[in-house]
Every structure is written in structure tokens, then in C-alpha cells.
Amino acid sequence: MSKEVRVSAVGEACADFNVLYCLLHHEGTLFAAWYDAAHRITVGCRRAGVATWETFQPEGFWLASRSRNANITDYDSHNYLTMAVDSAGYLHLSGNMHVDPLIYFRSERPLDIYSLRVVRAMTGTREARATYPLFFKDAQGRLLFRYRDGCSGNGDDIYNVYSTARRQWSRLLDTPLLDGEGLRNGYARPPVAGPDGWWHLVWMWRETPHCETNNSLSYARSRDLQRWETSAGQSLSLPISRERGEIVDSAGVGEGLINMVQEIGFDSQGRPLLIYHRYDRHGCSQAYLARPDGTGNWQRSQLSQWRFRWDFNGPGSIPPDLVLQPPCVTAEGLEVAWRSLWNDAGRWLIDEASLTVAATLPARVTLPEALTRPRQQLHPQAEVQLLAAQNSDYSPQHRYWLRWEALPICRDEPYPATVAAGKLELIEAQG
């Protein structure tokens, strides 16, 4: 059953291209980051007990390669925004990067958006070709930052750690975690902290900027994000290359692995489960579930029996025509939810022993249906974007969502239409 919700205005957001924003909840205060009508980075803050939003637009620096400032974006859907609050209360903001110099802002005063200023370097090395910024926190509450140095088909994952005492970043690892060896790059999901006390990481390799060259679904785990091993407990020397890593599914180039659809969840015993997309022997798109058995082998199961093919190819951002949610345990049992262009949405209940589908059920309704449909009359092709908030420790926050409408992803090029700015709204669950 959907929640009773309240919808309120946050500000004005560009609607002429599709890119992800950020919504963060910290001790009753909400922080958001988005692009305004002029594609300028805008940061908002709504204090606890206050109905209105304060906004601020931090200054950037000149990006000669883009012929624009770093606080203004173009039409690249890679240029999402991400925020963090460190343990001392200072704000961190990054984004608007696709093989660009590092773009990073930090506040000079705790919880103060007006004091956000550009910081031109974290460590000062390997920061000229950054993409995919990610803030998260380790078990000690330290702020970490991951990004890719390099480009699609030729890049490495870099991890930094922040000292609140020194207000400085340093390398968490002396080497990249994943090493493309100058031949490829690893597309990893964020490390996931499991109920078993391990961090779990899943990724696939890509040979070129073309998304159909994804291959070799891989896995590693770690207690501390510094020493990594296979599912059977064998130590992995860093950096992890394709040949040294543990391969879960050896699907090759053109066999349907896609970096947008690989997630980690857990069963009722806290064991990791990987959900991912690839083609079956007939070339149809299918959802697969995999679980390690502790000896180096993986139990794999095909969940779907679909007859469509998500035939992705080429460079640039592509729309998420199929979404598989991380496996999770609910009151009904182990569950995997999906949605797609071809068969709407639903969820599978999974038999934990066999990893097979025990039942197929309708999708859960989170928000009123009216909020999932366009209503701003911006353009016939405009789509609704919904983004759930995170708490500042990166645990789920199920009370708040950002809602906006925008034209669909267009391979990082301007959409062939002129669209006015739209409304950025906050959805707040009541009770």
C-alpha cells in the first residue's frame, strides 16, 4: 500500500537532459544538490522544523577542455552530483565529471552550504581524468571517496580516506583496487557492508567505451576495504586484474553483461547474493542470481523466462531499460524486484535453498501512482525521476524523495527539443 505523502517545492531544475541529483538526511536537516535552469550546480538545505529551503550556488573554476566553468554542466548524464557530511559536520560535494579534472567542494563551516568552496585537489595525483565520484563511510565512520581515473575501457578505481582532524585526504590504498592494465576498466558497484561483517564488491570488465564489450562478472570481499580476498578466503594481491580476480560468470563480450544491472543483496543467513543481467543461449535478456558456496564455486540460477532482448551497444549513457533490485529478505521471504520497458514491473519470491523462483508477485507500491506520471507538461517525452534520500551514514532513508521531470537520456548529447526548466519537489511520507 502506498504511503500518505506531502509534496512541496524545493526549487527549479533543468529538464532538458537527464542526470541524477542527490538528497541527504542528517539529524533532521535535508541537503540536496541539483542543476538549475542554467545547468548551474545548486545546493539546498532545509533545516529541521523549517518549511522553506535555503539555496546556494558555489563558484567553480575554468575547464578549458569543456570551455565552461566547473560549476556548470552540459548534457552528459554521467555528470551526477553526490554529497556527504563528515563526522565533524562539514559538507562535501562532488560531481559534474566525465573524464575531467576532479571537481570537489567542501564547506568551511559545519552544515553550512554558504561556505562551500572549491578544493582543487584531494591528494594531487591521478585527478586529471576523474569520473564516477562516490562518497561512503567505513565501519569506523571515516569518510571515503572512490572514483575512476581514466576512461571507459582504460581506467582504474582509486580510493581515498578523509581525516577530519587534519581536514586532508590521503590514499586508502597504495594502488588502485581494480586495474585495467591499460587494456580495459572495471565497472564496480559501491562496496556493500554485509550483515556477515564483510564488505562485498561486484564488478565487470569493459574492453572499450562501447557498453557491449562488458565481460567477466567478478567478486571480492574485505573486512577493512584494504585487504581483499575471494569468496573462498584466498588473498588477492592488489591491484586486482581480470586474470587475478574471482569470476562469477565468464560471460564474454556481446553476451549481455551490463554495468548498470549488477547488485549485491543478502539472504536470511546473511550470505551474499548477486543479481545481474545477461543473455541466455537464445540471445534473450534474463535475470540471474548467484551465491558463493565458500569453496570457490558459485550456485547460479536463471530467475526470468523473458522473450525480449535489451540490445544495448555503443558509447555514452544509455537509459536503464531494465532494473533489478538487490535481493532482500522481507516478511514474505527472500525477494528480488524488477521493472522493465517490456513487462512493466514485479517481484520474485525466491526459494533460498535452490535459488529458484517460488512465486511471481506484483510490484510493491511505494508512492501514489499519480506521482510516478508526468504532470508538469514540459514535453511529451519527459519522464518522472524519483530519488530516495540517504542518511548521512549512507543507511536507507525511507521518508523523503526528490521528484523532478526531464527528457530521457540521449547518449550525452542535447535532446532534439527545447524544454523549459521544471519543478524540483520534495516528497515526504507522513506519519
Side-chain angles (χ1 to χ4, degrees):
M1 181 177 294
S2 64
K3 301 174 181 288
E4 292 185 8
V5 300
R6 176 178 178 269
V7 181
S8 58
V10 176
E12 193 176 62
C14 65
D16 53 357
F17 87 113
N18 190 306
V19 67
L20 282 179
Y21 298 148
C22 178
L23 181 61
L24 199 62
H25 177 265
H26 178 74
E27 298 178 353
T29 297
L30 290 171
F31 296 97
W34 68 93
Y35 294 110
D36 73 356
H39 287 207
R40 181 165 176 154
I41 293 176
T42 306
V43 182
C45 169
R46 196 189 78 171
R47 307 286 177 183
V50 178
T52 58
W53 286 77
E54 307 167 48
T55 61
F56 177 69
Q57 295 182 317
E59 294 296 324
F61 57 91
W62 183 250
L63 287 174
S65 61
R66 302 290 186 188
S67 297
R68 59 172 169 80
N69 281 320
N71 60 333
I72 298 173
T73 197
D74 44 30
Y75 296 90
D76 193 329
S77 295
H78 291 84
N79 292 355
Y80 63 83
L81 298 170
T82 182
M83 295 183 71
V85 180
D86 67 32
S87 59
Y90 290 87
L91 301 171
H92 301 251
L93 168 67
S94 186
N96 194 22
M97 299 179 297
H98 188 194
V99 195
D100 288 307
L102 176 70
I103 299 175
Y104 166 57
F105 306 84
R106 186 172 65 230
S107 70
E108 296 179 342
R109 296 181 294 274
L111 305 180
D112 179 11
I113 62 173
Y114 301 104
S115 67
L116 280 165
R117 301 291 183 268
V118 165
V119 179
R120 289 300 304 269
M122 284 186 172
T123 68
T125 59
R126 303 195 69 168
E127 296 177 351
R129 305 172 74 218
T131 312
Y132 299 126
L134 171 70
F135 292 111
F136 67 108
K137 292 183 178 178
D138 66 7
Q140 304 170 49
R142 298 183 302 174
L143 184 63
L144 305 181
F145 183 75
R146 185 189 79 180
Y147 66 99
R148 185 186 72 194
D149 169 54
C151 62
S152 179
N154 182 6
D156 299 328
D157 277 10
I158 308 295
Y159 284 72
N160 294 340
V161 59
Y162 186 69
S163 167
T164 53
R166 293 181 286 114
R167 299 198 72 196
Q168 290 183 347
W169 291 92
S170 60
R171 290 280 192 257
L172 178 70
L173 301 168
D174 293 333
T175 71
L177 178 55
L178 303 179
D179 180 14
E181 304 174 293
L183 302 172
R184 60 188 62 89
N185 77 282
Y187 271 94
R189 298 296 295 154
V192 176
D196 55 0
W198 291 91
W199 288 91
H200 301 268
L201 186 70
V202 60
W203 71 95
M204 57 187 63
W205 296 98
R206 184 184 290 186
E207 304 301 300
T208 77
H210 290 237
C211 57
E212 71 271 21
T213 66
N214 287 333
N215 64 90
S216 307
L217 185 75
S218 303
Y219 168 86
R221 68 181 187 182
S222 174
R223 291 286 189 187
D224 58 7
L225 295 166
Q226 294 178 286
R227 292 175 292 273
W228 291 83
E229 62 181 49
T230 68
S231 64
Q234 296 176 333
S235 179
L236 290 166
S237 59
L238 301 185
I240 303 171
S241 65
R242 185 173 64 185
E243 286 66 30
R244 289 196 295 270
E246 178 177 11
I247 294 178
V248 179
D249 191 312
S250 59
V253 170
E255 294 185 346
L257 290 181
I258 181 66
N259 49 289
M260 302 160 62
V261 187
Q262 48 176 345
E263 301 286 353
I264 299 174
F266 302 90
D267 65 16
S268 64
Q269 298 180 46
R271 295 174 294 185
L273 290 164
L274 311 187
I275 185 75
Y276 61 100
H277 167 282
R278 63 161 294 174
Y279 301 140
D280 64 15
R281 60 189 179 90
H282 302 293
C284 294
S285 288
Q286 305 297 352
Y288 290 84
L289 194 61
R291 181 174 61 201
D293 67 1
T295 69
N297 295 313
W298 287 77
Q299 179 183 1
R300 288 190 293 270
S301 173
Q302 179 182 323
L303 302 184
S304 56
Q305 301 296 328
W306 294 325
R307 293 294 178 261
F308 61 82
R309 178 184 174 93
W310 182 14
D311 196 15
F312 47 82
N313 58 78
S317 301
I318 62 174
D321 291 350
L322 171 65
V323 175
L324 299 172
Q325 297 292 340
C328 63
V329 177
T330 69
E332 295 175 272
L334 181 62
E335 179 178 299
V336 174
W338 87 87
R339 59 178 172 82
S340 79
L341 287 184
W342 297 272
N343 56 5
D344 197 25
R347 53 196 171 99
W348 297 295
L349 291 183
I350 307 299
D351 178 85
E352 286 204 21
S354 64
L355 296 187
T356 56
V357 175
T360 301
L361 303 173
R364 294 185 183 277
V365 178
T366 303
L367 295 172
E369 185 180 354
L371 293 178
T372 68
R373 298 194 303 265
R375 58 180 187 172
Q376 296 184 26
Q377 299 181 340
L378 298 173
H379 187 274
Q381 300 300 316
E383 300 173 343
V384 174
Q385 310 300 317
L386 292 166
L387 178 76
Q390 288 182 313
N391 286 315
S392 56
D393 63 357
Y394 294 96
S395 62
Q397 164 55 255
H398 300 294
R399 185 176 177 184
Y400 303 101
W401 294 262
L402 281 183
R403 183 192 184 280
W404 69 101
E405 298 177 21
L407 291 174
I409 289 174
C410 192
R411 297 281 181 164
D412 305 327
E413 298 291 336
Y415 199 87
T418 300
V419 179
K423 299 175 183 177
L424 181 67
E425 298 172 310
L426 179 74
I427 301 173
E428 182 175 357
Q430 302 295 296

